[in-house]
Amino acid sequence: MSKYAEIIKKNLQRLYSQLPEDLAEKLPASRVDDGFLFCAFGESCRITPECIKLGDKKETGPAGIVISLYALQVDTISCQLAPYKAFREMPDSMPYVGAFASHTERVLVGHIDKIERKADRIVQQFKGSREVNNNAGDFSFIVYPLPKIALNYIFYRADDDFPATVTCLFSHNAAAFLPTDALADTGEYTSLKILDIL
């Protein structure tokens, strides 16, 4: 069993040892037998006492850890979108800022045109939006890697004065649902899933 799989197993044991009666409402999710079904990282996600599945695949990597931590920490409060927060504004984020910029934002810079062409599909898969009042940058969209955590991706094409850039902002109260290191992983895994869609 991998180190990730062991952590996921321990988190699930902890969750199910004192399972909140209102967990389905908190996630939010549909209760199916002893499991919970919701959308995570653009796929169907099912949490059971034995495992976490994304699509038809048992998730034994970092995404599984993030999902298990979300289930442990999620609260009844709703996602508050604005004002959005940069990752560096999250509590104790300093050790992760460089990796977040590299693995969440810069990894997308060379794909801006493709991302814009596939933006509607990306938004649909992640239950997000391209709402009119979110018109920052050359284009932007909001995606939900987890039901109560939104990411606002803002894309700027290169011009005569500045290079192309991508900015990823978090919904205002994202830190209420995950610890900061897991928020960094959420951004990274979401960007990887966006690249998969291309």
Side-chain angles (χ1 to χ4, degrees):
M1 183 180 287
S2 75
K3 190 175 176 180
Y4 293 130
E6 286 178 22
I7 294 169
I8 294 165
K9 183 180 177 182
K10 286 179 184 174
N11 285 347
L12 290 175
Q13 287 171 345
R14 192 171 138 214
L15 176 68
Y16 276 88
S17 69
Q18 297 180 349
L19 191 67
E21 288 183 20
D22 59 349
L23 183 61
E25 179 188 338
K26 286 179 175 180
L27 290 170
S30 299
R31 182 82 189 247
V32 181
D33 300 323
D34 60 352
F36 299 88
L37 189 62
F38 58 100
C39 185
F41 298 107
E43 296 188 65
S44 172
C45 176
R46 183 171 178 151
I47 296 177
T48 68
E50 295 80 34
C51 69
I52 293 172
K53 283 191 172 183
L54 272 179
D56 294 329
K57 182 183 165 201
K58 187 175 177 181
E59 182 53 57
T60 57
I65 293 175
V66 169
I67 293 164
S68 66
L69 288 171
Y70 174 75
L72 283 167
Q73 189 167 324
V74 73
D75 200 348
T76 54
I77 59 173
S78 299
C79 172
Q80 180 186 342
L81 290 178
Y84 290 96
K85 285 188 173 181
F87 179 73
R88 68 181 175 278
E89 295 177 84
M90 297 299 171
D92 304 315
S93 61
M94 191 53 66
Y96 312 104
V97 167
F100 179 83
S102 176
H103 301 301
T104 301
E105 298 170 330
R106 286 196 298 267
V107 71
L108 300 178
V109 167
H111 306 279
I112 289 177
D113 290 335
K114 288 181 189 174
I115 291 169
E116 184 171 26
R117 286 195 296 272
K118 300 278 187 170
D120 288 335
R121 183 173 171 207
I122 292 165
V123 164
Q124 180 182 16
Q125 189 164 334
F126 278 90
K127 311 283 189 221
S129 68
R130 296 183 76 179
E131 53 190 52
V132 177
N133 63 354
N134 184 36
N135 57 4
D138 290 311
F139 71 98
S140 59
F141 51 70
I142 297 166
V143 294
Y144 287 85
L146 293 161
K148 291 187 175 182
I149 295 178
L151 298 179
N152 184 359
Y153 281 90
I154 304 169
F155 300 86
Y156 299 87
R157 290 188 187 82
D159 61 25
D160 293 339
D161 299 316
F162 299 102
T165 59
V166 177
T167 300
C168 178
L169 304 175
F170 285 84
S171 46
H172 185 74
N173 62 346
F177 307 115
L178 278 176
T180 299
D181 57 343
L183 288 173
D185 290 339
T186 298
E188 179 178 347
Y189 195 68
T190 302
S191 290
L192 290 176
K193 296 294 283 184
I194 288 171
L195 291 174
D196 285 347
I197 293 171
L198 306 182

